[in-house]
Amino acid sequence: MTEKGAIFSQNVKKVAFDGEHQKRMMDRYEFFLRVADDCARHYANIKLEKNRAFNIRNKAFKYYDKYLVDFETNVNNNGGKVRWARDAEEAKYMIYNILENEKSKNIVKTKSVLAEEIGLMPYLEMKKMDVTETDTGDFICYQFNERPSDPNHPAAHKTKQDIAEVYSEKFCVSDDLNARQLMTVTRKVLKDKYLSADAAITGADFFVADTGDVVISEDEGNVLKSISNTKVHIVLIGIDKLIPTIDDISVLLPLSSLYEVTNIRVKSYYTILGKPQKGQKLYIVLVDNNRSNMLSREKQRTIMTCIECGACHSVCPVFNTIGGHVYDNAFPGPVGVVRSIADGYEESAHFATLCGSCRQCEEFCPMNIKISDLVLRNRMEIAREDGSLLGEKRVFNFIMKRVENRKDMDKTKDFLNKLEMKQLLKKSWGIHREIPKFAEKSFSELYLSIQSEN
């Protein structure tokens, strides 16, 4: 196991037995199921719509080299500028360089999973930039110096009292404010930031090849507030968010908010950016950061059709046991488990265990992604390529070779019971669970004894 994997295992043990954390996660899970129960009835044929959405995204990946060039051409014609970043370091430097050249002093940043992925906020702070998170959940996490626990509900792991106490310390307010009062404090703090900002950094849901448009959806209106008064707008987006035509959003946007836990059937605000506002400069930073690696994998690239609705990790029993922070990446839950393979076999080996193949994620996925099959594919590749698993391979090969023969297995069942099951599994399975015991007699022995009696 790698050092990262060992740290991961320790973190899992801490969280998995935290009773208070488990209660919060289960409450969240049950609430999601109640909301999701009637979502599909808003479609005459939800399966057909899911297939249409998948085909739109998959088509884009087949021709994405052409579509990317079309998009850049259309953005340039519309008056914007496109920048290409191969990895996280290049993307961060590129954004910093734009802000420096534009002499931007006060910066607001809206929700962006990609920004979390590349570590943009810490980087800009290191560069002495004044940057403020404007999404309510992300803003709360930032007060705790934590990253979001999951992209859709960043502060779900915090109680109202936790938030009230940190607000009391940071903003000199009472430590017993209710939820409405805490929101009032948040709005007041952010209002001045909106008005004084001279640059805004946003994410985006999709970008459109045939028009050069960027599509942003949100619930709070913080994107609109952030970009309204700024002289510079930087859109940070991964190359996997490409769609061929503007008509495609009529299928994708409703599905992306299909399971909104706020009971909103579609998100409250849509922003479709074509041309920059008058007096504003628009920069679009397209980031690869291993996405082309994932897209080159014929078996696993369907995971990139994900529209980040959050359904998979909302129902995932593993995610609801260990929470989002343990995953230590911007894509916690089943999608992150599959996508981690692009970072290399050693980096993803510990993530590949985080699936029980219950297939609940597939039941709710609006894109019909066969997530469990993709996790299994990852496991097969890791087992074949990762040298750190060689010892485990030998153990299981030894066991499987002997149990292929019924007589050999019956002869050595005491050995299996006392040595292999107890010694080999004691440190992994047996820490919190009882080691399985073999019966005194095997099924074949019982069968033969019954036959002899008759």
Side-chain angles (χ1 to χ4, degrees), residues 105-200:
K105 301 298 182 184
N106 301 310
I107 304 148
V108 287
K109 178 193 146 308
T110 68
K111 175 180 284 299
S112 168
V113 179
L114 180 52
E116 291 296 329
E117 177 187 338
I118 66 175
L120 181 61
M121 279 289 284
Y123 179 85
L124 293 179
E125 288 177 341
M126 182 186 70
K127 295 291 188 179
K128 308 301 181 184
M129 290 276 185
D130 181 11
V131 189
T132 303
E133 292 275 7
T134 63
D135 177 81
T136 301
D138 288 356
F139 177 81
I140 290 169
C141 291
Y142 184 69
Q143 306 312 312
F144 289 89
N145 294 317
E146 293 180 356
R147 64 177 182 80
S149 61
D150 81 67
N152 300 80
H153 311 288
H157 60 297
K158 295 297 182 185
T159 65
K160 179 179 69 65
Q161 188 55 41
D162 292 336
I163 299 167
E165 288 174 1
V166 79
Y167 270 38
S168 175
E169 179 184 338
K170 294 286 183 73
F171 307 123
C172 300
V173 295
S174 172
D175 62 0
D176 61 352
L177 299 182
N178 59 36
R180 186 180 293 273
Q181 291 169 328
L182 290 170
M183 278 302 303
T184 301
V185 173
T186 304
R187 291 192 186 101
K188 185 177 180 181
V189 171
L190 292 178
K191 181 180 178 181
D192 293 337
K193 298 294 184 180
Y194 291 132
L195 295 174
S196 61
D198 47 25

Side-chain angles (χ1 to χ4, degrees), residues 7-56:
I7 295 171
F8 168 81
S9 296
Q10 291 299 317
N11 291 337
V12 166
K13 291 172 186 176
K14 289 177 185 176
V15 177
F17 296 95
D18 183 339
E20 186 178 341
H21 168 82
Q22 294 301 315
K23 184 179 183 306
R24 285 201 298 271
M25 296 300 287
M26 286 309 299
D27 288 345
R28 176 177 173 273
Y29 168 67
E30 290 167 2
F31 180 62
F32 173 84
L33 290 183
R34 288 196 299 272
V35 172
D37 260 349
D38 70 335
C39 288
R41 68 183 177 84
H42 293 273
Y43 284 90
N45 189 335
I46 185 66
K47 292 182 75 173
L48 176 62
E49 202 70 4
K50 288 182 178 183
N51 287 334
R52 287 179 64 195
F54 177 82
N55 289 336
I56 288 169

Side-chain angles (χ1 to χ4, degrees), residues 53 56-57 206 243 248-256 307 367:
I56 288 169
R57 299 282 280 128
F206 306 105
I243 57 175
D248 296 332
I249 65 172
S250 64
V251 175
L252 295 169
L253 286 183
L255 283 175
S256 69
I307 53 177
M367 298 298 292

